[in-house]
Amino acid sequence: MSFEIRPLPGVTGAEVIGFDIGRDGADQAARQRLRDAWTDRVVLAFRDMEIDEAGFMRLAGLFGENVPQPVQRPEYRVEGFPFIRLLSSRHRDSLGDNKPLNVGGTWHTDHSHLPDPPRGTVLRAIRLPGEGGDTSFTNQRAAYEALDEETRREVDPLVGLHIYNSRYAPRRMATMTPAEEREAPSARHPLVRPHPVSGRKALYFNPIRIERFDGMDAAASQALMDRLVAHCEQDRFVYRHRWRAGDVLIWDNAQALHMVRHDYDPARERVMHRTLVG
Ligand code: OGA
Ligand code: MN
């Protein structure tokens, strides 16, 4: 095996250098090394990947089964690859007021309104805006483990109600078709969950999707989430990824919040390919 996994400073993130999907993709030991590093470091950043859409899907397949994207739009399609969604900074709310959408622009975890949210989101840089457009990740396991005893007792028993379009979301979601809205599931998830692989507890909440915690009113629920965000977004838990051409990232939605900063020149387009695995 000639690729390298380099943990980044702190508790979150590792770079994967020299990974060749053709050479290393079929190697079971390599796959296990990657999966262990993913569980431990929460985010893996593959550098200098020379892959096409098929290679991207193969890479994602090392981490889990394909999961369909819950919201489909013609402008999201990548011909021939039904599990890839195109993300462009030029996309607008095509079924709503056609204003630009701040996609991914505040702390969230992907698709927590599903009863079984996809563990992995895989994102490949297609076109970068130059300066800016970084994506940041928290480590919700380390953040949980750093809570004081009293806060742990407070959060351990709570259960959150997650819906697609929470009225408390700090940004707008893409408008859905009436059928999508009818079919959009909601889900209850414990605020503190053992990780499906490591069994270690992590905070699981989603500021764009949580309506409230069971037994608490909306104001108290939002106040608690604000407190938790302030804790989780401390530098000691966060990895901020500066994108380079050839980057592919995978993160673990079960133990991370993420957000992108759309802080670049709006005349520059930022384009990504994204797929989900569970
Ligand atoms: C996502 C997302 C962030 C980015 O695809 O789920 O939040 O950097 N993307 O584009
Ligand atoms: Mn996201």
Side-chain angles (χ1 to χ4, degrees), residues 163-178:
I163 69 169
Y164 175 76
N165 209 349
S166 164
R167 79 197 87 167
Y168 307 106
R171 61 183 159 91
R172 301 146 20 96
M173 299 302 119
T175 305
M176 290 174 133
T177 65

Side-chain angles (χ1 to χ4, degrees), residues 31-202:
R31 178 164 181 249
Q32 195 55 47
R33 247 175 95 210
L34 288 174
R35 291 170 69 109
D36 291 348
W38 183 40
T39 299
D40 179 34
R41 304 296 303 182
V42 181
V43 189
L44 296 183
F46 291 81
R47 297 289 196 182
D48 305 311
M49 294 298 287
E50 286 171 20
I51 49 173
D52 56 9
E53 283 73 3
F56 176 63
M57 291 308 298
R58 276 194 66 197
L59 181 64
L62 302 179
F63 296 92
E65 304 290 323
N66 296 328
V67 176
Q69 312 272 350
V71 179
Q72 315 267 357
R73 297 282 176 272
E75 64 268 31
Y76 297 170
R77 260 185 224 134
V78 176
E79 190 60 39
F81 294 92
F83 289 102
I84 300 181
R85 170 179 163 179
L86 184 101
L87 294 174
S88 162
S89 56
R90 301 253 164 95
H91 285 163
R92 291 167 169 266
D93 188 11
S94 55
L95 298 181
D97 58 11
N98 215 40
K99 289 202 175 131
L101 285 163
N102 177 19
V103 176
T106 61
W107 290 119
H108 66 287
T109 178
D110 289 333
H111 306 315
S112 67
H113 62 299
L114 302 179
D116 187 18
R119 181 179 168 208
T121 301
V122 195
L123 203 59
R124 173 178 171 223
I126 301 296
R127 182 178 304 167
L128 296 171
E131 274 303 282
D134 295 358
T135 309
S136 293
F137 300 88
T138 66
N139 182 326
Q140 298 293 88
R141 176 191 75 228
Y144 174 76
E145 289 172 359
L147 290 174
D148 59 57
E149 195 70 21
E150 191 188 332
T151 310
R152 272 198 233 176
R153 265 200 303 274
E154 178 187 354
V155 296
D156 271 334
L158 294 178
V159 175
L161 170 62
H162 298 241
I163 69 169
Y164 175 76
N165 209 349
S166 164
R167 79 197 87 167
Y168 307 106
R171 61 183 159 91
R172 301 146 20 96
M173 299 302 119
T175 305
M176 290 174 133
T177 65
E180 282 170 339
E181 207 149 314
R182 271 196 312 277
E183 286 157 23
S186 60
R188 291 192 139 73
H189 298 292
L191 171 55
V192 177
R193 299 193 312 174
H195 189 268
V197 173
S198 71
R200 285 169 71 177
K201 288 179 178 176

